[in-house]
Amino acid sequence: MSEVLRVDGLGKTFGGAKALEGVGFSLDRGERLAVLGRSGGGKTTLLRLIAGLEPPTAGEIALAGEAASRAGRVIVAPERRGVALVFQGLALFPNLRALDQVAFAARGRGGVERARILLDRVGLGHRAGARLDELSGGERQRIALARALAQEPAILLMDEPFASLDDEKRAEMRDLLRDLLDDAGTTLVLVTHSRNDALDLARRALVLDHGRAVADGPLEELMARPRHAAVVRALGLGRLIPGEVDAEGDAETAFGRVRTARGTAPGPATLLVRPDQPHLVDDDEDGVDAVVASIELRPPDGREVRRVAVVRAAGGDLRAFVRGRTLSVGDRVRVRLRGECDPMQGE
């Protein structure tokens, strides 16, 4: 595999506030990276720096082994980077018809003919003459994608591209994008708050927290063995609770005493409670008192619809799968955390 992007010690400061600090990673041709984290964590700033829309304050960006940006300087102009950027707002031209939107980006690369081919690929060949105000939200997303790919970019940057679509349309767009990227061998950097977008389109994730990279690795590994609270939040892996760990590795929490992973240091800790750990137990078993605040439904596992009880205890709310019992809002129950709770870095 050939390296198409390298980010080394990247930093960006706005008015004395650090938006990014010490971020580094590299991507090979055809690799797909999901950039995750809380709002304001530096994700969009990272895309803008890679695109060359502004210079970094520190560090370097290299494209295909050649320096493209260094501290305080954009070396390679945005239009010469082989990078296409799709913003959340799409930034389509309000006065151009669908075909012209794509043909504008395809200038020098086959022009109108290439634009027609791409419109067909995204399922909009029959809408070539449509004005922007005649296109639905999903159709505009497809036009924006076709326009980006018309540039034949080595790297496609996408910033929350499907945020305005419903779940069904999002899934359709993910399938379409995946096929187009496979055909072209294009590298993808996707900023998203959607776990489904990340899991469907990427196999690797970079998690930013307050401008710093706190995790970078295969998504499967990050889900199985998270180390930072920001990873838990970004991937929706469970509930974070405070605890006090003793010398034997047991932790006292507001939801009772739990076992922690081997090697957990004694003292205050932030612990991960995974969705399968809260259990409703009999009144005479160890646990804490709680009240059923609501009952939620989950998609069927096979034919059986799964029910989840939101139980409210002194330490806050927990969700516990309801198995083999009937519950109503207001019922008093006991809840217990089973299994080990892993300690997380961060808050």
Side-chain angles (χ1 to χ4, degrees):
M1 299 292 286
S2 57
E3 183 182 88
V4 297
L5 172 65
R6 179 169 46 81
V7 172
D8 186 20
L10 199 64
K12 182 65 177 179
T13 300
F14 294 103
K18 292 181 179 179
L20 287 175
E21 183 179 6
V23 175
F25 63 92
S26 64
L27 292 174
D28 291 334
R29 182 179 184 272
E31 220 178 333
R32 300 174 196 163
L33 176 73
V35 183
L36 308 171
R38 289 183 286 195
S39 297
K43 302 185 298 299
T44 297
T45 298
L46 175 63
L47 293 192
R48 292 181 60 83
L49 296 182
I50 295 172
L53 299 180
E54 51 192 286
T57 305
E60 180 177 287
I61 297 170
L63 299 171
E66 299 292 331
S69 293
R70 287 199 179 105
R73 182 182 173 203
V74 172
I75 299 170
V76 178
E79 64 274 14
R80 295 179 47 240
R81 291 193 169 212
V83 173
L85 175 57
V86 178
F87 291 101
Q88 181 175 340
L90 304 182
L92 295 172
F93 299 114
N95 59 324
L96 295 185
R97 297 181 184 272
L99 179 64
D100 297 328
Q101 300 272 357
V102 183
F104 181 85
R107 290 177 303 173
R109 301 178 178 87
V112 173
E113 184 57 33
R114 175 164 172 75
R116 290 189 186 280
I117 292 171
L118 282 167
L119 279 182
D120 285 337
R121 288 297 311 277
V122 299
L124 290 178
H126 65 294
R127 301 287 277 155
R131 299 190 307 269
L132 194 59
D133 60 3
E134 297 172 330
L135 298 170
S136 69
E139 289 173 332
R140 292 184 187 190
Q141 293 279 351
R142 290 169 182 260
I143 295 295
L145 177 57
R147 187 181 67 174
L149 294 176
Q151 303 171 47
E152 298 182 339
I155 304 169
L156 178 61
L157 309 176
M158 305 189 82
D159 189 1
E160 293 285 357
F162 313 135
S164 63
L165 301 181
D166 60 34
D167 290 343
E168 183 179 357
K169 290 298 182 183
R170 283 181 90 118
E172 290 178 5
M173 285 299 299
R174 291 195 299 262
D175 289 343
L176 173 61
L177 176 58
R178 191 167 52 243
D179 290 344
L180 292 171
L181 292 175
D182 284 343
D183 290 347
T186 305
T187 299
L188 174 69
V189 181
L190 171 72
V191 163
T192 182
H193 285 101
S194 166
R195 178 173 62 175
N196 289 339
D197 287 354
L199 296 181
D200 277 6
L201 289 170
R203 286 293 174 266
R204 176 179 164 194
L206 175 75
V207 181
L208 297 179
D209 190 45
H210 300 294
R212 298 188 65 87
V214 297
D216 177 9
L219 269 163
E220 195 168 346
E221 182 178 316
L222 292 180
M223 288 190 292
R225 291 175 292 278
R227 296 288 182 262
H228 200 282
V231 177
V232 173
R233 286 190 294 267
L235 293 172
L237 300 180
R239 168 82 189 277
L240 295 166
I241 64 172
E244 185 72 28
V245 183
D246 63 22
E248 283 70 45
D250 292 327
E252 199 64 50
T253 78
F255 298 100
R257 198 166 180 80
V258 298
R259 190 71 186 163
T260 64
R262 180 179 298 179
T264 301
T270 298
L271 302 173
L272 167 60
V273 178
R274 290 186 179 271
D276 62 344
Q277 290 188 268
H279 287 258
L280 302 180
V281 298
D282 294 333
D283 290 343
D284 58 352
E285 293 187 62
D286 289 340
V288 297
D289 293 328
V291 175
V292 177
S294 63
I295 302 292
E296 301 175 348
L297 298 181
R298 294 290 184 269
D301 183 7
R303 293 181 180 272
E304 183 179 356
V305 175
R306 295 174 296 165
R307 293 183 300 135
V308 174
V310 179
V311 296
R312 186 157 295 155
D317 290 355
L318 283 177
R319 283 170 170 79
F321 284 106
V322 180
R323 300 174 176 90
R325 62 196 294 182
T326 301
L327 288 175
S328 300
V329 173
D331 285 353
R332 294 192 171 277
V333 294
R334 286 181 70 77
V335 62
R336 178 183 176 186
L337 301 181
R338 293 178 177 169
E340 291 184 346
C341 292
D342 297 325
M344 297 291 115
Q345 301 172 20
E347 298 178 354

